[in-house]
Amino acid sequence: MIGVVILAGAIVSAQETPASKLRSDARALINAGKPREAATMIEKAIGQGGDTTPELTQLLGVAYYHADDYARATELLTPVADRLPQDSIERREAVQVLGLSLYLTGRFAEAVPRLEATRAWASNNQELAYILAQAYIQTREPAKARDVLAGLFGAAPGSAAAHLFAAQMMIRLEHDELARPELEKALALDPKLPRANLLLGQIALFRGRLDEAITFSEKELAINPSDAIALSQLGDAYVRGSKWDDAIAVLQKSIWLNPFYSAPYILMGRAYMKKNEPAIAEGMLRRAIQYDPNNRTAHYVLAQLLQQTGRIDEAKKEFAIAEKLQGQAGR
């Protein structure tokens, strides 16, 4: 669940009514981290013929949001958000929570106007800006996403850094086709911008364009020779191209620069397996697991190695760990 900017305070009149007390008690439960209890209380009151005003429906929607039931929150808030008094705390909260709920249920186009409306009065809220930028990317509005991210990270609009920030977010959200033009624009503005070539290499590697991945990784290293991630990425491209000795040489450098990053150890393990040096391969893979015990790939490759060398019981154990980690990743 994404935190909201505000929580509407319970408004209690001098002469408290049953309806106002219900809202006050429900709000207290939400604020105490008991949104399910608040929802049950409100629904019980509604079922008994109690208050069914937009304000109570709004509070019920907020309770469901905090209970991580975003679909139900959306269902409740959609018909009432625009019926609440203009500029009231309740309306602001309803619009904000509705926008977040729509975003979290993948209804990005519907979420954008609600998030934009919230940003109009919460312009300094960083988390909201971060979510809005992601929504813009999901709705394929790269310029808007770039402008929001530039403001969030203190970069000048249209600068090389702004394009780089946008590209990084696009890659994380698996919109490589949007990221590549951003990176090309960034490099056109600043040919020595760190990490732009690295990300272009990452995109190329993901798409199996190994020569391109090697070229971009080498360009990144020309800008920053001590970038352990770029060395690991270059080694990855060499492994995929079956260039085992070239891979080992650059991966060893990556490890020397950052010995606590598991990826180059896994890649080294694969390379040494192909070179028929199982003892060294096992050492590399176990070191990867030492630094990253929950790395499914490390356990799986180690299981393959153990199986190949006839250590069947140990292999079964590693396969089981890898399968368990795969299940956890899918939840």
Side-chain angles (χ1 to χ4, degrees), residues 52-81:
T52 56
T53 62
E55 287 78 9
L56 187 61
T57 302
Q58 178 262 355
L59 189 57
L60 182 58
V62 170
Y64 272 110
Y65 171 81
H66 285 282
D68 300 335
D69 190 340
Y70 309 120
R72 180 63 174 147
T74 298
E75 179 185 355
L76 289 161
L77 292 170
T78 298
V80 302

Side-chain angles (χ1 to χ4, degrees), residues 304-320:
Q304 290 179 314
L305 173 64
L306 293 169
Q307 187 178 57
Q308 291 172 11
T309 54
R311 295 154 67 182
I312 304 303
D313 289 341
E314 292 178 76
K316 287 181 179 178
K317 178 182 176 182
E318 292 298 328
F319 276 128

Side-chain angles (χ1 to χ4, degrees), residues 103-126:
Y103 176 84
L104 290 165
T105 52
R107 296 164 64 177
F108 306 117
E110 295 171 79
V112 164
R114 301 296 184 175
L115 296 172
E116 289 175 333
T118 300
R119 192 163 183 254
W121 59 265
S123 58
N124 293 326
N125 186 269
Q126 294 188 342

Side-chain angles (χ1 to χ4, degrees), residues 132-283:
L132 180 58
Q134 292 183 79
Y136 282 141
I137 292 169
Q138 298 287 13
T139 54
R140 306 183 69 82
E141 297 185 81
K144 290 184 177 181
R146 186 192 320 122
D147 287 346
V148 172
L149 290 167
L152 182 60
F153 288 99
S159 65
H163 287 288
L164 179 63
F165 289 133
Q168 288 182 299
M169 184 67 67
M170 290 164 181
I171 290 171
R172 193 172 69 76
L173 296 175
E174 300 181 356
H175 283 281
D176 294 358
E177 76 288 354
L178 295 178
R180 180 162 186 148
E182 294 293 323
L183 292 167
E184 290 170 346
K185 290 173 185 176
L187 286 168
L189 291 166
D190 182 357
K192 293 187 177 181
L193 182 68
R195 305 197 73 78
N197 283 296
L198 177 73
L199 293 175
L200 283 168
Q202 181 180 323
I203 293 171
L205 189 63
F206 178 75
R207 297 189 179 279
R209 300 195 295 263
L210 299 183
D211 290 343
E212 194 176 323
I214 289 169
T215 297
F216 281 123
S217 299
E218 288 175 339
K219 286 183 177 181
E220 185 67 34
L221 288 165
I223 295 169
N224 183 4
S226 65
D227 191 328
I229 303 299
L231 285 164
S232 180
Q233 181 170 281
L234 180 58
D236 194 348
Y238 284 142
V239 167
R240 297 186 194 206
S242 301
K243 298 178 179 179
W244 313 122
D245 291 332
D246 290 339
I248 289 169
V250 296
L251 291 168
Q252 184 60 73
K253 293 175 185 176
S254 178
I255 289 170
W256 284 335
L257 289 169
N258 183 2
F260 308 110
Y261 179 41
S262 62
Y265 290 105
I266 298 171
L267 292 165
M268 287 267 274
R270 284 176 163 163
Y272 277 114
M273 284 173 66
K274 293 296 184 179
K275 285 173 64 67
N276 197 30
E277 298 186 49
I280 300 176
E282 181 178 350

